[in-house]
Amino acid sequence: MTATQANTGQHRQPVHPGTPPAHPVLRFWRSAVGKKWIMAVTGIMLLGFVFAHMVGNLKIYLGAGPLNTYAEWLRNLGEPALPRTVLLWIMRIGLIGAFFLHIVSAAQLTRMNQRARPSKYQSPRDYAAASFASRTMRWTGVIVGLYLIFHLMDLTWGNANPRYVRGDTYENVIHSFKRVPVAIVYILANIALAIHIFHGAWSMFQSLGLNNPKWNRARRTFAMGFATLIGVVNISFPLMVVTGVVK
Amino acid sequence: MKLDSHVPEGPIADKWDNHKFDVKLVNPANKRKFHVLVVGSGLAGASAAATLGELGYQVTMLTFHDSPRRAHSIAAQGGINAAKNYRNDGDSVQRLFYDTVKGGDFRAREANVYRLAQVSVNIIDQCVAQGVPFAREYGGLLDNRSFGGAQVSRTFYARGQTGQQLLLGAYQALARQVHLGNVDLHTRTEMLDLVVKDGRACGVVARHLITGQVKSFAGHAVVLATGGYGNVFYLSTNAMASNVTAAWRAHKRGALMANPCFTQIHPTCIPASDDFQSKLTLMSESLRNDGRIWVPESGTDTRSPDQIPESERDYYLERRYPTFGNLVPRDVASRASKREVDEGRGVGPIKNGVYLDFGEAINRLGRHTMEERYDNLFQMYERITGDDPYKVPMRIYPAVHYTMGGLWVDYNLMSNVAGLYVLGEANFSDHGANRLGASALMQGLADGYFVLPATINDYLAPLLGSPAVGTDDPAFKAAESNVADQTNRMLSVKGTKSVDHFHRELGKIMWNDCGMARSAETLDNALSAIPALRDEFWTDVKILGDGESFNQSLEKAGRVADFLEFGELLVRDARDREESCGGHFRVEHQTEDGEALRDDDNFAYAAAWEWKGVGEQPEVHKEPLTFDNVHLAQRSYK
Amino acid sequence: MDLTLRVWRQAGPDSPGRFETYAMPGVSEDMSFLELFDVLNEQLLADNEEPVAFDHDCREGICGSCAMMIDGRAHGPEKGTATCQLHLRKLKNGSVITVEPWRSAGFPIIKDLAVDRSAFDRIVESGGFITAPTGAARDANEILVPKEASDAAMDAAACIGCGACVAACPNSAAQLFTAAKYSHLSLLPQGQPERYTRVVAMVEEMEKYFGSCTNHGECEQACPKEISIDFIAMLNRDFVKAQFKNTRLSGQRA
Ligand SMILES: Cc1cc2nc3c(=O)[nH]c(=O)nc-3n(C[C@H](O)[C@H](O)[C@H](O)COP(=O)(O)OP(=O)(O)OC[C@H]3O[C@@H](n4cnc5c(N)ncnc54)[C@H](O)[C@@H]3O)c2cc1C
Ligand code: HEM
Ligand code: HEM
Ligand code: SF4
Ligand code: F3S
Ligand code: FES
C-alpha cells in the first residue's frame, strides 16, 4: 500500500499481491480459506492420531507385557494382506504428510496475518472473545512440534535416551520419565497440546463450515472435553512414573 | 422564462406509456458514445448510475462519501410504498396516486405522481430480484404494514432498516457495473460547481476531499441526486454531511429552485437533550401503527407515566381525528404535538416531548411480536436516552426530516438547464407540500431505476456525433478557478468562530422563525437575521489547516456558506406563499380548529426561483398546477 | 462528568503518529462519544490546534462511517453499538480513554482517526451482488422465501460495513464482513445461480487486502450489528464446496 492510494482514498492495490494460479488445486492451496480447510483436515488426522496414541499408551498401566505386545501388534498391523510394518509405514507417511501440511499452512498464514497488520495497536487491546488458546496457537503449535522431535529422539530413535533398548517400549518409557527434567518437558508439552486442541478442535468445525445452530454448543463441549481428556491422560504418564506410582 | 413541464397529452393513465413510446431512443451500439455524470450515490443516484451502466452508457459517479453505500438513504427506517395490493384491501395505482396528491396537499404535479404510483409496482419486483430481504410471512410471501396518511397496507419493509437494504441493493448493482468498467466511481469527491456552456450542462467541477485537488469532469449530461437540504435547520434527522451545495451551485448556474419552503417536520423523533446535540434521531413512523400518542391532561402532572390513570391521559390524536387516529399524516401529527407542548402539557425533563406508548400493544400482541417488529428501534431509543421503551413510553417530538422542495424539473426530470437532470430528494417533483411516509424511497428508486433511464435518451439522441465539451474548455477553467477562489477565500478569513457556530446559529433562526409554524413577522425577522449572519461568517469564520489535505472544517464551511444563502431563499419562499399547505404552516392562514388553510385560487402553483446574486431579490417563476383527476378538497383526516 | 482523552494524531498516511492527551472536564453524560469529539474539536480550534479528523455521518449507527478503537475495543465497550451510538453514561467518570484508528494494511490511515475502507467496496464489486438488470424482474411474490431464510439473510444483510470486524480481529481478517455480504445473497433463492462463483471471487478479493481467519471470534463481539460468526462457517463451507462443484449440473435441482 503506497501513500498515494491512501491519499486518494481509493484502495486499488492489494496488500497481498500476485495473480492466482490457473490450476484449481493450486488456487485452492493459495487461498487462506483453502489452507484453513487443509489445516482442519490435517488437524482431524492429528487429533485422531493423538487420541489413538493415548489409548494405546494407556496400556502402560497394564504393565510391560501388554504395552510391548501392543507395540508389536502395531508393527504387524495389516498382515497378512500386507507385509509386516507396511501398513504402519503408510500410516506414518500419512502422519508425516499431515504434520507437514499443517505446519506449512500455519507458517504461511502467520506470515499473511503479519503483513495484514504491519503497524500494531499502540495501546493495549481489551479482548472480548479471543481466548488465550486462540491467540497462542502458533506458540502452542511450535512447542508441540519441538516436543515431537525430542519425543521421537527419546522413544523412537533412542538418541536422546541413553538406556534405550529397541523393542522394549515399556522400559524405555519408564527410564525416560524417571528423569525429572524429561518428565517436566512432557508435562509442559502436553499442557501446550491440550491448549492447542482446546481451540483447534472447536475451530476446525468453523473452518470446515460444519455449523448448525442446533449443534453449535456441542462443538464447544466437544473441544473442551477432548482437550481435557488428552491433557489429563497424557500428563498422567510422566506424572505417575516420576512420582514412582508406575515403575 | 417560461416553465414548460413537458407533461405528455392524453389520459393520465396512459401518459407514461405513450411518452415512453414517443421519446427518441439511442441504439445500443451508440450508448457507449455518451458519457453521463451522476452526482450522489443515494437511492436515486446509485439506481440511476447502475441502470445507465447496464444500458451501456459510460457513467462517472461522484460522491463525497468514502463508499456509495454510506449515502444518507441508508438511514431510512420504516418502509417503501407500492401499489401491489397484495393485501387485497382495495389498493391500486389510482389509490396510491390519490393518497399522494391529497397527502401532498395538492401542490404536486398530477402526471408525475401518477407515474410514480405506476412504477412503484416494478420497484418492489426489481428490489426482490436483487435480493433485498423484505419482511416475509410464514408462507414465504411478502409482508406489509401501514403508514401515515393511508388506509391500506402497502408498505414493504426490511425490519427497521428498509433504506439500508434498498440502498445496498442499488449499491450492489452499481458495484457490479463498476467491476464491469461501465461506471467509473470517484469517492470522497465533492461536486462544487456545475459547468454550463451554451445553455447546456456539460460537466462538473469537484474537489477531492483528501488531496484537495480540484478536478473537472465532462459529460453529455449531468445527473444530480444529491439529497435534501434539511440540515439548513442544523438539528434534523438528516446525516451530518447532508447539504444543499450541489443543488445550490447548480442554482447559481441557472437552475431554478422550486418550493424551498416545503419542509417536512417528522412527528416521531427523540427530543433534544442538551446544547451539544449534533443531530436528532428519528423513531420510525411505523411505530405509530402500534404506539399510542398521549400527554397527561394536566400540564402540572409530575407523576411517572405508568402512574397516570387512563382517565387522566389525553390521546389527543385519537380524540381529534377518530378515523385516522395515530396515523394522521406527518404535518398534522407534528402540529398537534407542538400544540400540546406549547400549551404546557409537554413531558420529560424539559417538557419538550409527548408520550408514544406501547403498553397496550405489548399487552395485546406480546413482547415477542413487538421485538420482531421494532426491536432495533427500541434498542436505538434505549441507547440514546437510557430508557427502556418496553417498560416506559417513549418520549417523542417533531423534528425536521425531509424537504419536498428542490430543483425544478419537468416531466422528464430535466431542470430548466438543458442536460441537467435532478433525481430523488434533490428535486421538487412528486410530494407537493407534504410527503407521505414511505414515499421518498419509492420516489428515489422510481427516478433512478425507471424514469431517468427512459427519458434521458430523448435528450442524448440528437447529440450523437457531437463530442462532450472538453475539460480544457474555458468554461471548465472558469469554474475551476471559481472553486479554488472560494476555498481560498474561506481559508483567508481567519476569524474567531467555528463553522459549527454559524451553522447552529442559522439553525436557530430557521427553526424559530421558519419551522413548524411561520408568520409574516417571524419570516421578516429571519430575512434580516440571515444576511447579517452571512456577513459575519465571511468576516469571522475560523478554519485551520489548508486546502491541500483532508480538512473536514473546510468541507463543512463550504456547505454552511451555501446554507447561509439558501436559507434566505427558503424564508423568502415561505414569506411569499400566503397560505398554509402541508409542511408549510402560516399562522395567519388556518381554519377555526387550527388546521392548514390552503388558498387554491392564488397559490396552486409551484414557485420556481431564479438566482440573481447574493443578497439580491430572486425572481419567481410560477408553474400552475391543475387538478383534473383528484378533486381539490380541504384535507380531512377526521 | 470528567474525562481525559488520549487521541492518536497523525497528519497523513506516512507521517509519524503519536498520542495527545486532552482533558475534557464537565461533559454531559447524555452526550454521544462523537459529540464529545465535537466538543474537543471546538476546544482545539479555540487553541489554534487542528481539529481531530474522524469519519462520521448518520450518527445513528447505520451508515458505518464512524470508526474508533476505544480503550482497545473497536467501537468501545458497549456491545452491539457503533461509536456514534455510544453514550458517555456508559463510561466511568474520571477515566482516561485511549482512542486509536482502525489498524490494518487493508485500511490505510488517512489522517488522525480516519482510515480508507474502500477495500470493502472492492470485495463487493468482485461478486457481492445478484445480477438482476433493471426491468427484467418477475413479480416479487413469485419468489417464495421461507421466513426463517429471509430472516437469516436479513441478519447478515444488517452489516453496516464499518470495518470493526477487521479492526478487532487479531489477524486483521475481513472474514465477518465478507461472510455477511456473501451470506445475505446466498441464503436467498435469488442468489443461488451465482452462489459458487460469488464465493470464490469474494474470498480471493478479500485475501488481497486482509489476513486469514483463525476463528478468534473477536469480530462478532465488536460488530455493532452483532453479526454471527456462523456466517463465516457458511462462507468457508461454500468456498470449499465450490472447488468440488460441477457447476454445469447446477440447473438440475430446482
Ligand atoms: C432518518 C430518516 C428516515 C427516513 N425514513 C424513510 C422511510 O421510512 N421511507 C421513505 O420513503 N423515506 C424515508 N426517509 C427519506 C428518504 O430516506 C430520503 O428522502 C431518500 O433516501 C433520499 O435519497 P436520495 O437518493 O435523493 O439522496 P441521499 O440518499 O441523501 O443521497 C445523496 C447523495 O449525494 C451525495 N452528494 C450530495 N452532495 C454532493 C456533492 N456536492 N458532491 C458529491 N456528492 C454529493 C452524497 O454523498 C450522497 O451519496 C427517511 C429520511 C431520514 C432522514
Ligand atoms: C498433534 C499435534 C497437533 C494437533 C492435534 C493439532 C490440531 C489442530 C487443529 C484441530 C487445528 C484447528 C484447525 C482449524 O481450525 O481449521 C489446529 C490449528 C493450528 N495448528 Fe495445530 N495441531 C497439532 C500440531 C501443530 C503443530 C506442530 C503446529 C505448528 C508448528 C500447529 C499449529 C497450528 C496453528 C498455527 C493453527 C492455527 C489456529 C487455527 O487455525 O485455528 N499445530 N491444530
Ligand atoms: C505423555 C504422552 C506420550 C507418551 C507416553 C508417548 C509414548 C510414545 C512411545 C512409547 C512411542 C514409541 C512407540 C514405539 O516405538 O513402539 C511413541 C511414538 C510416537 N509418539 Fe508418542 N507419546 C506421548 C505423547 C505423544 C504426543 C503428544 C505426540 C504428538 C504430538 C506423540 C507422537 C508420537 C509419534 C509421532 C511417535 C512415532 C510413532 C511411530 O513411530 O510410528 N506422542 N510415543
Ligand atoms: S460485519 Fe459487523 S463489524 Fe464487520 S463491517 Fe459489518 S457491521 Fe461492521
Ligand atoms: S476475529 Fe478474526 S480470526 Fe476470524 S472469527 Fe473473527 S475474523
Ligand atoms: S456515524 Fe453512521 S454509523 Fe456511526
Side-chain angles (χ1 to χ4, degrees), chain B residues 32 123 129 146 165 249:
Chain B
R32 271 227 74 73
I123 294 174
S146 54
Q165 294 311 315
R249 309 260 165 123

Side-chain angles (χ1 to χ4, degrees), chain A residues 6-10 12, chain B residues 185-187 208 210-211:
Chain A
N7 266 333
T8 52
Q10 285 280 41
R12 291 194 188 271
Chain B
L185 173 65
H186 295 262
T187 56
H208 195 281
I210 295 175
T211 61

Side-chain angles (χ1 to χ4, degrees), chain B residues 175-464:
Chain B
R176 179 168 159 260
Q177 295 304 315
V178 172
H179 192 61
L180 294 171
N182 298 332
V183 176
D184 185 18
L185 173 65
H186 295 262
T187 56
R188 297 212 195 244
T189 303
E190 181 169 30
M191 166 190 162
L192 291 177
D193 210 347
L194 176 75
V195 182
V196 182
K197 187 170 163 119
D198 305 328
R200 289 176 183 272
C202 57
V204 303
V205 173
R207 177 174 176 274
H208 195 281
L209 297 180
I210 295 175
T211 61
Q213 194 195 11
V214 173
K215 203 175 162 210
S216 289
F217 297 86
H220 291 92
V222 177
V223 179
L224 297 187
T226 49
Y229 50 79
N231 274 350
V232 67
F233 289 87
Y234 184 66
L235 283 183
S236 83
T237 64
N238 285 11
M240 302 296 286
S242 299
N243 67 77
V244 75
T245 291
W248 190 247
R249 309 260 165 123
H251 175 65
K252 290 168 102 172
R253 294 281 176 190
L256 302 181
M257 178 66 78
N259 297 340
C261 79
F262 289 166
T263 51
Q264 180 168 78
I265 316 279
H266 195 292
T268 51
C269 303
I270 304 178
S273 63
D274 59 40
D275 290 346
F276 305 102
Q277 188 109 13
S278 55
K279 73 158 274 171
L280 297 172
T281 303
L282 174 83
M283 288 285 103
S284 168
E285 174 150 0
S286 60
L287 292 170
R288 284 202 273 147
N289 269 316
D290 288 313
R292 299 177 68 197
I293 295 177
W294 62 275
V295 290
E297 280 196 328
S298 148
T300 53
D301 207 325
T302 50
R303 287 173 291 179
S304 81
D306 53 315
Q307 298 299 315
I308 303 178
E310 283 291 319
S311 58
E312 291 170 46
R313 300 175 175 193
D314 180 7
Y315 293 91
Y316 56 87
L317 287 178
E318 295 169 26
R319 172 170 56 80
R320 264 187 245 149
Y321 310 99
T323 314
F324 280 70
N326 291 298
L327 288 174
V328 290
R330 294 177 173 178
D331 55 330
V332 177
S334 296
R335 273 197 302 278
S337 306
K338 178 176 159 63
R339 190 147 101 185
E340 299 303 323
V341 169
D342 286 352
E343 288 173 8
R345 283 188 294 276
V347 299
I350 43 179
K351 289 173 91 49
N352 63 343
V354 299
Y355 289 127
L356 175 60
D357 195 337
F358 299 94
E360 193 244 356
I362 293 173
N363 287 338
R364 177 166 42 91
L365 301 165
R367 185 175 164 129
H368 179 72
T369 309
M370 294 297 281
E371 277 174 8
E372 287 244 300
R373 287 190 192 167
Y374 307 113
D375 198 47
N376 70 320
L377 295 170
F378 279 27
Q379 283 181 19
M380 193 196 282
Y381 182 85
E382 182 172 2
R383 262 183 216 118
I384 294 172
T385 62
D387 287 344
D388 177 2
Y390 289 108
K391 303 205 178 89
V392 257
M394 284 186 180
R395 277 178 293 114
I396 54 159
Y397 196 62
V400 175
H401 172 59
Y402 181 86
T403 55
M404 281 74 68
L407 293 176
W408 184 88
V409 289
D410 66 8
Y411 187 74
N412 294 319
L413 301 183
M414 185 155 87
S415 72
N416 59 307
V417 176
L420 176 69
Y421 289 82
V422 190
L423 319 185
E425 194 173 339
N427 73 22
F428 91 116
S429 67
D430 299 352
H431 307 292
N434 174 52
R435 170 180 72 85
L436 291 184
S439 288
L441 302 180
M442 170 172 75
Q443 182 222 334
L445 290 180
D447 289 359
Y449 281 134
F450 297 106
V451 181
L452 179 81
T455 59
I456 197 169
N457 20 309
D458 200 39
Y459 173 73
L460 293 175
L463 297 181
L464 189 65

Side-chain angles (χ1 to χ4, degrees), chain B residues 45 172 361 444:
Chain B
Q172 285 161 190

Side-chain angles (χ1 to χ4, degrees), chain A residues 195-212:
Chain A
I195 295 174
H196 193 84
I197 292 177
F198 172 72
H199 180 67
W202 172 82
S203 166
M204 65 188 190
F205 290 104
Q206 284 289 104
S207 304
L208 295 171
L210 298 178
N211 180 298
N212 182 335

